């Protein structure tokens, strides 16, 4: 029997396909705007210059210092440049770090946002902003934070390094796996989650052997969009809490941490969420945790937290924090259970 549910669609406009970068100008005008403020990391500054050239007078100014974890000090610097150039909208070109900066600006001035997403992190379709101040990362949700328009141009992802593609793809799959057993999951988000996992599972091995394969790049970007929608629609549980703690308190890299933990958190929760996870487990031969681990190993993803330079002593601290604040999770979050999970993730052993 179908259980009762609430489904609320998120109001983003999504433009998908190779070559759609050419539509940025038209989309700025469609938003009723004339002066776009362009954002990227320093690594993607050359791409941003090309976009500014493409936009001509629609490009009012730019800022290429987007930084991981969205430091408030960087946002304040960018806001000053936004104001000085009289911009009326934002164009974020890049992954979660650049998108985070755009969201942080829009949270403060409600400027319309257009995102050109170039990784699989999924931030472009959520109303979630994580920002850092005085060494603490806090998360806010607000309708102003969700970008109005997203452009997914797979041609822009053929240069995403394979290691980053693999980690980012597993990061996206983690949104979908947790979405399946979310307390507020509904039939629509579960469909999106299953389709997102399938797309990434099929695409990532092809990307590893043929990084410029546009079919596989399209499939991965499509899957990451669906997984992002799940992240922005329902509550996340143990996996995202552990990654947030490892990222925030141990300064571990975002996508790689998600990639390493996913098989272990899926295995931990599998016995308590068998029905919800069944369609995903079937794709992995009936054992979701083990199957995800094998996929991660086969595509060369990092497998062990030790590889990221984490101190083994940190595991007890993270386990303490994980049990401190109660949150929804299908299986009871016990100190011993989490320490066991973290230890296997630290050593990179196959989950049990
Ligand atoms: P990132 O944005 O930090 O990108 C990593 C590096 O790859 C950067 O130097 C970037 O310029 C470069 N890069 C991006 N796309 C590229 C491409 N196509 N080709 C070549 N280089 C490219 O990494 P990320 O994993 O996308 O984002 C991580 C951040 O996003 C974290 O701070 C995380 O907390 C945040 N995030 C937020 C949400 C949310 O909903 N709020 C969701 C997911 C991630």
């Amino acid at each position: 029997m179908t259980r009762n549910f609430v489904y609320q669609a998120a109001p983003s406009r999504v433009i998908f396909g190779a070559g759609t970068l050419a539509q940025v100008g038209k989309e700025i005008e469609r938003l009723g705007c004339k002066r776009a403020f362009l954002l990227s990391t320093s690594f993607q500054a050359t791409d941003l210059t090309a976009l500014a050239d493409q936009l001509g007078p629609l490009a009012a100014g730019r800022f290429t210092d987007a930084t991981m974890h969205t430091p408030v000090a960087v946002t304040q610097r960018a806001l000053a440049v936004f104001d000085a150039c009289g911009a009326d909208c934002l164009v974020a070109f890049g992954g979660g770090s650049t998108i985070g900066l755009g969201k942080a600006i829009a949270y403060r001035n409600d400027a319309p946002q257009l995102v050109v997403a170039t990784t699989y992190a999924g931030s472009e379709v959520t109303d979630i902003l994580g920002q850092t101040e005085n060494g603490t990362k806090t998360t806010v949700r607000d309708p102003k934070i969700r970008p109005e328009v997203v452009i997914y141009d797979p041609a822009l992802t053929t240069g995403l390094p394979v290691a980053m593609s693999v980690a980012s793809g597993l990061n996206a799959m983690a949104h979908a796996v947790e979405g399946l057993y979310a307390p507020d999951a509904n039939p629509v988000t579960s469909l999106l989650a299953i389709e997102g996992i399938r797309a990434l599972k099929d695409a990532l091995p092809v990307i590893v052997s043929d990084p410029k394969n546009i079919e596989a790049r399209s499939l991965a970007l499509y899957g990451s969009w669906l997984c992002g929608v799940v992240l922005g629609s329902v509550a996340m549980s143990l996996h995202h809490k552990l990654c947030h703690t490892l990222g925030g308190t141990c300064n571990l890299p975002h996508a790689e941490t998600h990639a390493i933990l996913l098989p272990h958190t899926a295995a931990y929760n599998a016995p308590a969420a068998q029905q919800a996870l069944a369609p995903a487990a079937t794709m992995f031969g009936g054992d979701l945790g083990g199957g995800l681990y094998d996929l991660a190993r086969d595509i060369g993803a990092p497998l062990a937290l030790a590889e990221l330079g984490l101190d083994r002593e940190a595991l007890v601290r993270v386990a303490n924090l994980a049990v401190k604040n109660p949150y929804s999770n299908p299986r009871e979050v016990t100190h011993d259970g989490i320490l066991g999970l973290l230890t296997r993730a630290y050593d990179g052993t196959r989950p049990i």
Side-chain angles (χ1 to χ4, degrees), residues 224-246:
S224 74
W225 164 44
L226 302 182
C227 294
V229 173
V230 174
L231 171 69
S233 305
V234 296
M236 296 288 113
S237 303
L238 175 69
H239 173 85
H240 281 73
K241 303 289 173 196
L242 283 178
C243 291
H244 186 89
T245 306
L246 284 162

